[in-house]
């Protein structure tokens, strides 16, 4: 696209005119801003044309056409309004201008394009007053979509808890437009903005409106100079919105757009830009857009000067999300035709500072479990990787799930792993409210038919309704959702449970109940470590993900009491001192026992048709993973509405800094008759996009190789000079990890004999690495492969299965200095490995280590 002189363009996205399917993040020949990315998105739907509203008849704004469906939040005047939430969402990714929220502090200035000027003054070498024509024709222009959000979005929820000094914004104080304008930094460079040494530290903006009350001046604010001049910020002096010149309510003829910031920094009807040493001294810069501690009321803020403390100013938006479908008071009738069906939950999410929303989650059990939603994000980032727009989310849920639910809650996460708090954090101005958005689910009989009635927390402005209105005199309480029925009633604090983390006393928390698992350690099928790794902590998620119904019933035998109430728990948490970063020989490591962390997927490589190498970035690029050789990690994800946890052994070098790698065979749906649904976790990993996150926990496992032939097995030492290694399929990964450790230590002279079974030659994992070692160090490693089908010409290894003949020929005989290591399918271990090893003289109780 080329620079525009401000005239209307035929393909503009205003008033429902469709945007081209490939709309370019456009720049007209600026040397700083090129190579923007193309992306496509759907345009806004048709909406009512603005009209002269009778409610404006006796106000200074009686000349401005407005959409009559907008919900007015401050009476007739000044005009502050948001769209009905359903109408906002129905309009699509780009909001039609008539439905865009409006925040005015006073009367809208009357102006003309031809007469308007903008003055640039202060610490610049060439103070200049620009006409609109000069700005549009003499500077490069940029056009891209930006989501604007009022810092008071969702304020009414706070007002229902305790009145703030702000009016009642609902959940539609947010809109997205395609903005076109002149880069601010280009204008400031033209005027010769001075350097920091000459005192040029801030850039102040002032509008044209004459405002009543406090200070009786213009609306103004400021930015730090380094922000104003940052090309990654995409700050523009905008003169077009959705392809048309700005409308009066949105700042005609020019306003500033600061993507990723709150709307309160984006001065409308812009008249003056002043470069200064100090930040703006404008009344509205100090007496608006602040988030104080909850203890600060209006009297305290004024008497103690809280307004002038810089740490409480708001600039960048925080992460937020809202449920828009179901609507408030929507009814879902339940009958034989709908009970077995599904329902699509929908909503929006955004974050600030250019941070991408990475996931949105919905809970229908009070936050005990979360389901990951599908994101619809038409926007592509700018060339600096910044995202300026909201995204939409959706989640299909079963109607039966809704019938069981009491409420639906949503929370979003951004790429900095910021997320939304569970409860309101009240503040004097009622700004930046981003607690979980909750919709109540009420089941009633309507005309004799079972009906679900959905209830939003509030309605905007003075509209009545919402579940918070019914609870206005109650304090929000965070109560455990799992009642204690029969059984011990002793109450334990978190700090008390955290003391029991050893084999002598191992306690865990599951669904708010406390269990002493000490006497079950030796009988646990998963080994002692799988309990001890969670001892002293809440392992509800892990327990539910990998245990059967029968196991959950068995757990009741070990119950000793319940967790303290939430108030006591929070007090305990405050007293608990966080453990310092774990270290290995002075090095920072990521794995900390009983703690989970998130890793970002940074690379994915196809090794074969169904085998992938995934590389995940650790939270700190200077970290080691910290996984002892022989142990494995858990990958945790919410898949198909359930928590899924699977064990994997990384293939990366234990000394790799900043990342971990895993080799995974993808078990696709419909490829094996015995497993028609395929592998849940492997298919999830296959669908992950670069930049996605997955949770990691560990270390886990009862076997550890400590070097030079030494092992710890359930804490007991074992030693070998020779290792008989037997692996099947993906079971090679823990054995490969031991091989890798031995090969990386020139002083480790342990001999290894590997028999590795697969279905086909193509299924052999890590073959290149193992063959290279075997060729280079034939006295240290011998490798023998077994495949059962699709044998190619020239195959020099075994065909069939692992049997006694294969093992006798390719692994060492049993001695007091020989150990067997095995990992593979249970059938192979039970029917092929153990009996044949026993026939060769191996003690499969003491000398067989099964991963």
């Amino acid at each position: 696209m080329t620079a525009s002189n401000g005239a209307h363009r035929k393909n503009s996205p205003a008033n429902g005119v469709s945007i081209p399917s490939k709309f370019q993040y456009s720049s007209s020949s600026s040397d700083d801003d090129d190579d923007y990315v193309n992306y496509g998105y759907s345009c806004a739907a048709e909406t009512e044309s603005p009209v002269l509203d009778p409610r404006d008849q006796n106000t200074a704004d009686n000349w401005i056409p407005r959409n009559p469906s907008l919900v007015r939040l401050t009476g007739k005047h000044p005009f502050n309004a948001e769209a009905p939430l359903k109408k906002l969402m129905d309009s699509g990714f780009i909001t039609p201008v008539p439905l865009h929220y409006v925040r005015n502090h006073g009367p809208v200035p009357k102006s003309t394009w031809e007469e308007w000027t903008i003055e640039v003054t202060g610490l610049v070498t060439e103070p200049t007053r620009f006409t609109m024509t000069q700005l549009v024709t003499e500077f490069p222009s940029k056009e891209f979509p930006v989501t604007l959000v009022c810092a008071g979005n969702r304020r009414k929820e706070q007002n229902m808890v305790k009145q703030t000094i702000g009016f009642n914004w609902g959940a539609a104080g947010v809109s997205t437009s395609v903005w076109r304008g002149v880069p601010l930094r280009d204008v400031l460079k033209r005027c010769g903005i001075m350097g920091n040494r000459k005192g040029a530290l801030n850039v102040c903006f002032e509008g044209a409106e004459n405002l009543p009350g406090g200070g009786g001046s213009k609306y103004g604010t400021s930015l730090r100079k380094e922000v104003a001049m940052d090309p990654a910020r995409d700050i523009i002096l905008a003169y077009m919105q959705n392809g048309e010149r700005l409308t009066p309510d949105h700042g005609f003829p020019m306003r500033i757009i600061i993507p990723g910031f709150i709307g309160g920094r984006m001065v409308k009807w812009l008249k003056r830009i002043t470069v200064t040493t100090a930040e703006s001294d404008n009344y509205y810069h100090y007496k608006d857009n602040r988030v104080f501690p909850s203890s600060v009321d209006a009297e305290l803020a004024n008497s103690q000067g809280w307004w002038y403390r810089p740490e409480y100013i708001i600039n960048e938006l925080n992460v937020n999300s809202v449920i828009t479908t179901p609507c408030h008071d929507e009814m879902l009738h339940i009958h034989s035709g709908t009970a077995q069906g599904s329902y699509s939950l929908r909503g929006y999410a955004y974050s600030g500072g250019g941070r991408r929303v990475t996931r949105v989650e919905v809970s229908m059990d009070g936050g005990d479990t979360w389901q990951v939603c599908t994101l619809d994000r038409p926007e592509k980032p700018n060339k600096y990787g910044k995202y300026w727009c909201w995204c939409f989310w959706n989640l299909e849920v079963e109607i039966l799930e809704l019938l069981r639910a009491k409420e639906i809650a949503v929370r979003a996460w951004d790429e900095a792993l910021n997320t939304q708090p569970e409860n309101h954090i009240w503040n004097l101005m009622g700004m930046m409210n981003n607690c979980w958005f909750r919709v109540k689910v009420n089941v009633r009989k309507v005309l004799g038919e079972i009906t679900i009635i959905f209830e939003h927390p509030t309605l905007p402005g003075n509209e009545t309704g919402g579940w918070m209105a019914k609870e206005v005199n109650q304090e929000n309480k965070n109560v455990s959702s799992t009642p204690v029925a029969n059984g011990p009633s002793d109450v334990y604090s978190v700090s008390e449970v955290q003391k029991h983390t050893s084999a002598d006393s191992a306690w865990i928390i599951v669904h708010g109940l406390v269990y002493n698992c000490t006497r079950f350690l030796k009988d646990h099928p998963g080994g002692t470590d799988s309990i001890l790794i969670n001892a002293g902590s809440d392992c509800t998620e892990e327990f539910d993900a990998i245990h059967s119904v029968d196991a959950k019933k068995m757990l009741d035998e070990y119950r000793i009491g319940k967790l303290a109430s939430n108030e006591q728990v929070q007090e305990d948490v405050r007293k608990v001192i966080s453990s310092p970063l774990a270290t290995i020989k002075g090095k920072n490591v990521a794995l900390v026992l009983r703690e989970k962390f998130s890793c970002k997927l940074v690379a994915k490589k196809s090794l074969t048709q169904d085998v992938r190498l995934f590389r995940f970035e650790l939270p700190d690029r200077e970290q080691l993973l910290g996984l002892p050789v022989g142990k494995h990690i858990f990958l945790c994800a919410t898949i198909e509405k359930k928590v899924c946890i699977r064990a994997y052994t990384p293939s990366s070098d234990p000394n790799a800094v900043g990342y971990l790698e895993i080799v995974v065979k993808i078990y696709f749906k419909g490829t094996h008759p015995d497993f028609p649904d395929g592998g849940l976790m492997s298919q999830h990993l296959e669908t992950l996009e670069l930049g996605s996150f997955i949770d990691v926990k560990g270390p886990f496992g009862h076997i550890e190789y400590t070097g030079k032939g030494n092992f710890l097995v359930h804490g007991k030492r074992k030693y070998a000079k020779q290792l008989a290694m037997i692996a099947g399929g993906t079971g090679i990964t823990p054995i490969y990890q031991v091989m890798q450790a031995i090969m990386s230590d020139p002083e480790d002279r342990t001999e290894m004999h590997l028999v590795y079974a697969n279905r086909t030659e193509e299924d052999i994992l890590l073959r290149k690495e193992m063959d290279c070692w075997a060729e280079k160090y034939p006295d240290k490693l011998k490798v023998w492969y077994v495949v059962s089908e699709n044998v190619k010409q020239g195959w020099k290894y075994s065909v069939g299965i692992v049997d006694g003949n294969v093992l006798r020929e390719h692994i060492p005989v049993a001695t007091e200095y020989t150990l067997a290591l095995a990992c593979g399918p249970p059938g192979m271990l039970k029917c092929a490995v153990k009996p044949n090893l026993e026939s060769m003289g191996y003690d499969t109780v003491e000398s067989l280590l099964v991963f």
Side-chain angles (χ1 to χ4, degrees):
M1 294 186 178
T2 58
S4 169
N5 62 4
H8 169 66
R9 292 174 296 146
K10 292 182 180 179
N11 65 340
S12 72
N15 298 322
V17 179
S18 63
I19 296 172
S21 61
K22 286 292 183 182
F23 184 89
Q24 190 174 28
Y25 209 114
S26 137
S27 169
S28 60
S29 66
S30 168
D31 57 357
D32 297 305
D33 306 291
D34 52 11
D35 299 329
Y36 285 88
V37 185
N38 286 343
Y39 60 93
Y41 46 76
S42 299
C43 174
E46 289 285 349
T47 188
E48 305 99 320
S49 297
V51 297
L52 292 176
D53 195 314
R55 289 172 289 186
D56 293 325
Q57 186 173 356
N58 296 317
T59 73
D61 292 345
N62 57 14
W63 56 280
I64 303 173
R66 288 166 173 159
N67 189 295
S69 70
L70 291 179
V71 180
R72 297 196 175 210
L73 309 176
T74 49
K76 292 182 178 181
H77 191 75
F79 185 62
N80 292 284
E82 64 182 84
L85 189 56
K86 183 178 186 304
K87 184 170 287 191
L88 174 69
M89 291 301 293
D90 287 348
S91 68
F93 183 76
I94 299 299
T95 309
V97 175
L99 289 181
H100 197 290
Y101 83 87
V102 178
R103 174 68 175 106
N104 292 342
H105 290 79
V108 175
K110 284 187 177 182
S111 57
T112 67
W113 180 275
E114 292 75 18
E115 295 175 350
W116 196 267
T117 60
I118 295 175
E119 180 184 10
V120 181
T121 186
L123 296 175
V124 295
T125 58
E126 298 182 32
T128 307
R129 178 175 276 107
F130 293 101
T131 66
M132 290 303 299
T133 299
Q134 283 179 294
L135 288 167
V136 171
T137 60
E138 295 181 10
F139 290 90
S141 63
K142 291 171 60 176
E143 185 172 53
F144 51 95
V146 180
T147 294
L148 268 55
V149 186
C150 181
N153 192 36
R154 297 182 57 192
R155 180 189 284 138
K156 190 171 182 180
E157 296 167 45
Q158 290 208 16
N159 282 340
M160 299 304 292
V161 176
K162 179 182 176 182
Q163 186 63 45
T164 71
I165 60 174
F167 56 83
N168 288 325
W169 282 103
V174 53
S175 307
T176 300
S177 291
V178 179
W179 301 94
R180 187 174 187 86
V182 176
L184 170 65
R185 66 191 307 267
D186 289 357
V187 175
L188 292 174
K189 286 164 69 176
R190 167 81 70 87
C191 295
I193 186 170
M194 296 181 185
N196 290 6
R197 292 182 178 180
K198 294 187 176 181
L201 302 179
N202 288 276
V203 181
C204 304
F205 309 95
E206 186 178 88
E209 69 272 49
N210 293 309
L211 298 177
S217 61
K218 317 291 185 183
Y219 184 88
T221 187
S222 62
L223 296 176
R224 297 193 314 275
K225 189 185 76 172
E226 63 266 26
V227 174
M229 297 299 290
D230 185 354
R233 293 280 185 172
D234 283 335
I235 302 173
I236 59 173
L237 308 181
Y239 53 87
M240 295 183 76
Q241 180 182 10
N242 288 0
E244 304 278 1
R245 287 183 178 177
L246 300 180
T247 59
D249 275 326
H250 295 293
F252 176 84
M254 181 162 278
R255 69 175 299 172
I256 188 166
I257 294 293
I258 311 170
F261 271 43
I262 61 168
R265 299 285 164 233
M266 306 189 201
V267 175
K268 298 191 287 188
W269 312 293
L270 184 65
K271 285 296 290 182
R272 182 173 291 105
I273 301 172
T274 309
V275 180
T276 61
T277 300
E279 62 182 295
S280 172
D281 60 359
N282 187 278
Y283 172 87
Y284 293 94
H285 180 72
Y286 284 105
K287 290 299 183 80
D288 204 350
N289 300 307
R290 307 263 162 169
V291 173
F292 297 136
S294 299
S295 58
V296 176
D297 58 18
E299 182 179 354
L300 204 61
N302 290 324
S303 63
Q304 296 186 359
W306 285 83
W307 298 106
Y308 304 98
R309 301 185 186 184
E311 58 267 35
Y312 302 113
I313 193 169
I314 313 167
N315 282 314
E316 292 183 354
L317 294 165
N318 53 3
V319 64
N320 211 339
S321 62
V322 162
I323 299 168
T324 59
T325 301
C327 308
H328 177 68
D329 275 349
E330 180 179 332
M331 294 187 182
L332 181 61
H333 300 289
I334 309 301
H335 49 74
S336 58
T338 61
Q340 300 302 318
S342 63
Y343 183 91
S344 183
L345 304 173
R346 298 182 183 277
Y348 70 74
Y350 60 80
S351 189
R355 295 178 292 275
R356 180 170 62 104
V357 173
T358 53
R359 73 178 184 263
V360 175
E361 300 172 315
V362 163
S363 176
M364 294 194 290
D365 55 10
D368 285 347
T369 61
W370 294 88
Q371 303 177 42
V372 177
C373 306
T374 300
L375 298 185
D376 178 13
R377 192 200 330 274
E379 179 194 18
K380 300 297 182 184
N382 72 6
K383 72 174 185 177
Y384 301 97
K386 303 287 189 180
Y387 290 80
W388 303 131
C389 296
W390 61 6
C391 63
F392 295 160
W393 60 264
N394 67 83
L395 177 69
E396 289 291 322
V397 298
E398 300 298 320
I399 299 294
L400 294 178
E401 282 189 86
L402 290 174
L403 284 169
R404 289 191 290 265
K406 298 296 184 183
E407 71 172 21
I408 308 164
V410 66
R411 68 182 181 190
W413 298 74
D414 69 18
E415 61 184 309
L417 295 184
N418 300 310
T419 191
Q420 299 170 239
E422 179 178 357
N423 297 313
H424 294 90
I425 303 173
W426 187 90
N427 65 86
L428 176 62
M429 299 206 70
M431 290 183 164
M432 306 293 271
N433 179 33
N434 71 331
C435 61
W436 299 353
F437 191 90
R438 304 171 189 261
V439 171
K440 298 294 185 183
V441 180
N442 305 304
V443 181
R444 304 280 188 268
K445 272 201 169 183
V446 177
L447 299 177
E449 189 173 52
I450 295 176
T451 302
I452 298 176
I453 304 174
F454 299 100
E455 198 171 16
H456 280 223
T458 63
L459 295 180
N462 294 324
E463 294 185 2
T464 58
W467 60 263
M468 291 191 76
K470 300 176 182 178
E471 302 178 2
V472 68
N473 294 319
Q474 299 179 13
E475 292 182 358
N476 290 332
K477 294 182 179 179
N478 182 14
V479 181
S480 172
S481 62
T482 305
V484 178
N486 299 319
S489 57
D490 289 345
V491 177
Y492 297 95
S493 66
V494 170
S495 57
E496 177 63 25
V497 175
Q498 288 174 334
K499 297 174 184 177
H500 299 268
T501 60
S502 69
D504 296 325
S505 182
W507 293 12
I508 62 172
I509 301 166
V510 178
H511 289 298
L513 304 179
V514 181
Y515 300 87
N516 184 347
C517 300
T518 311
R519 58 190 172 91
F520 187 58
L521 289 175
K522 66 182 189 311
D523 298 321
H524 187 242
T528 301
D529 273 10
S530 59
I531 293 179
L532 290 180
I533 193 175
N534 292 301
S537 68
D538 188 328
C539 60
T540 301
E541 185 177 84
E542 289 86 347
F543 186 86
D544 285 347
I546 61 179
H547 287 88
S548 65
V549 174
D550 290 339
K552 294 172 183 176
K553 291 178 181 177
M554 290 174 58
L555 185 65
D556 199 54
E557 180 182 345
Y558 302 93
R559 187 201 303 176
I560 58 173
K562 65 180 180 178
L563 202 61
S565 66
N566 191 62
E567 289 80 2
Q568 291 172 290
V569 171
Q570 289 185 349
E571 180 62 28
D572 281 333
V573 170
R574 283 192 288 269
K575 294 178 181 178
V576 174
I577 300 175
S578 299
S579 299
L581 286 171
T583 60
I584 293 180
K585 295 182 180 179
K587 294 183 178 179
N588 179 13
V589 300
L591 286 174
V592 177
L593 195 65
R594 289 181 286 276
E595 292 187 13
K596 191 184 294 182
F597 64 91
S598 293
C599 282
K600 181 167 69 173
L601 179 64
V602 294
K604 179 164 58 173
K605 181 180 180 182
S606 293
L607 302 182
T608 69
Q609 183 177 352
D610 56 3
V611 176
R612 308 288 182 264
L613 174 68
F614 297 93
R615 175 176 284 202
F616 293 94
E617 186 178 81
L618 298 177
D620 185 339
R621 294 183 180 179
E622 301 301 318
Q623 285 179 318
L624 300 175
L625 175 61
L627 182 68
V629 176
K631 292 184 180 282
H632 47 269
I633 57 175
F634 275 147
L635 297 188
C636 315
T638 301
I639 308 169
E640 297 179 359
K641 311 170 190 175
K642 295 181 180 178
V643 175
C644 179
I645 299 177
R646 296 290 185 269
Y648 291 95
T649 304
S651 59
S652 47
D653 189 312
N655 294 314
V657 177
Y659 70 91
L660 70 93
E661 290 179 340
I662 56 172
V663 174
V664 179
K665 181 178 176 65
I666 312 300
Y667 293 94
F668 290 104
K669 183 177 182 180
T671 57
H672 196 292
D674 293 338
F675 306 100
D677 294 331
L680 194 62
M681 179 63 82
S682 66
Q683 291 183 102
H684 175 71
L685 291 171
E686 172 73 356
T687 61
L688 283 184
E689 297 180 359
L690 295 183
S692 301
F693 286 84
I694 197 160
D695 289 335
V696 177
K697 190 173 183 178
F700 181 84
H702 59 285
I703 300 172
E704 179 181 349
Y705 183 69
T706 58
K708 298 181 176 60
N710 293 287
F711 289 85
L712 286 176
V713 183
H714 292 296
K716 296 181 180 179
R717 297 189 179 277
K718 293 184 182 291
Y719 172 74
K721 294 180 180 179
Q722 293 182 311
L723 296 177
M725 298 170 153
I726 308 165
T730 56
I732 188 63
T733 53
I735 290 177
Y736 176 85
Q737 190 186 48
V738 175
M739 294 169 61
Q740 188 179 50
I742 294 172
M743 288 299 183
S744 65
D745 183 359
E747 297 181 2
D748 193 331
R749 304 187 184 283
T750 309
E751 289 182 22
M752 297 171 285
H753 301 257
L754 171 67
V755 173
Y756 182 22
N758 282 280
R759 188 171 60 87
T760 70
E761 185 178 354
E762 288 73 21
D763 292 327
I764 299 174
L765 304 179
L766 302 164
R767 182 178 181 181
K768 180 180 177 182
E769 291 82 354
M770 293 186 296
D771 284 350
C772 181
W773 285 334
E775 181 179 350
K776 192 173 182 179
Y777 305 103
D779 295 334
K780 201 169 185 178
L781 174 64
K782 292 178 172 56
V783 177
W784 193 257
Y785 301 112
V786 182
V787 299
S788 58
E789 58 184 72
N790 293 340
V791 179
K792 296 180 180 180
Q793 188 173 3
W795 178 253
K796 63 179 182 179
Y797 302 98
S798 296
V799 177
I801 62 172
V802 175
D803 57 19
N805 292 330
V806 171
L807 294 182
R808 279 188 290 272
E809 188 173 349
H810 296 288
I811 66 171
V813 297
T815 72
E816 63 175 316
Y817 296 115
T818 305
L819 289 175
L821 277 57
C823 188
M828 184 185 98
L829 298 176
K830 180 180 179 182
C831 301
V833 175
K834 291 186 70 174
N836 285 306
L837 286 177
E838 288 170 353
S839 71
M840 294 173 63
Y842 279 82
D843 182 346
T844 56
V845 175
E846 294 296 329
S847 299
L848 173 62
L849 313 184
V850 179
F851 290 93

